[in-house]
Amino acid sequence: MRIAFPLIALTALTLALSPANAGTRGTYEVYGVEGEDMLKLRAGPGLGYKIILGLPNETVVHVRSCQLIGGTRWCKVSLAAARSLTGYVADAYLREKR
């Protein structure tokens, strides 16, 4: 039992410090979307989830959390202009709002 607690604590610390769980909460904006395309806000963290709506470049979002799934980091966000509207986007298209 004495060995189990340090092992559990070490595992929890390792997971908390992994890049997929790093603290990325804050205000971000959509960028890098090509041409007339839009970043898809999805119902869940992955391409298989329903598209809720498209977000053009410069759309401001609040990142609530992020997770790594299948090599893509998905962030749960809410729109700054409509906080009750939430969904998931790929973080490759987000940058910190300046």
Side-chain angles (χ1 to χ4, degrees), residues 24-85:
T24 56
R25 294 182 184 199
T27 303
Y28 291 75
E29 67 182 350
V30 175
Y31 86 105
V33 179
E34 298 289 326
E36 298 296 318
D37 202 3
M38 294 189 189
L39 177 61
K40 277 73 173 177
L41 180 70
R42 296 182 179 273
L47 296 176
Y49 288 91
K50 180 179 118 181
I51 297 170
I52 298 170
L53 78 127
L55 305 174
N57 284 326
E58 299 181 11
T59 301
V60 178
V61 297
H62 298 288
V63 173
R64 297 179 174 197
S65 64
C66 296
Q67 57 187 310
L68 188 62
I69 296 179
T72 300
R73 188 172 160 132
W74 292 91
C75 295
K76 184 174 184 179
V77 301
S78 61
L79 296 183
R83 286 206 161 202
S84 63
L85 185 55

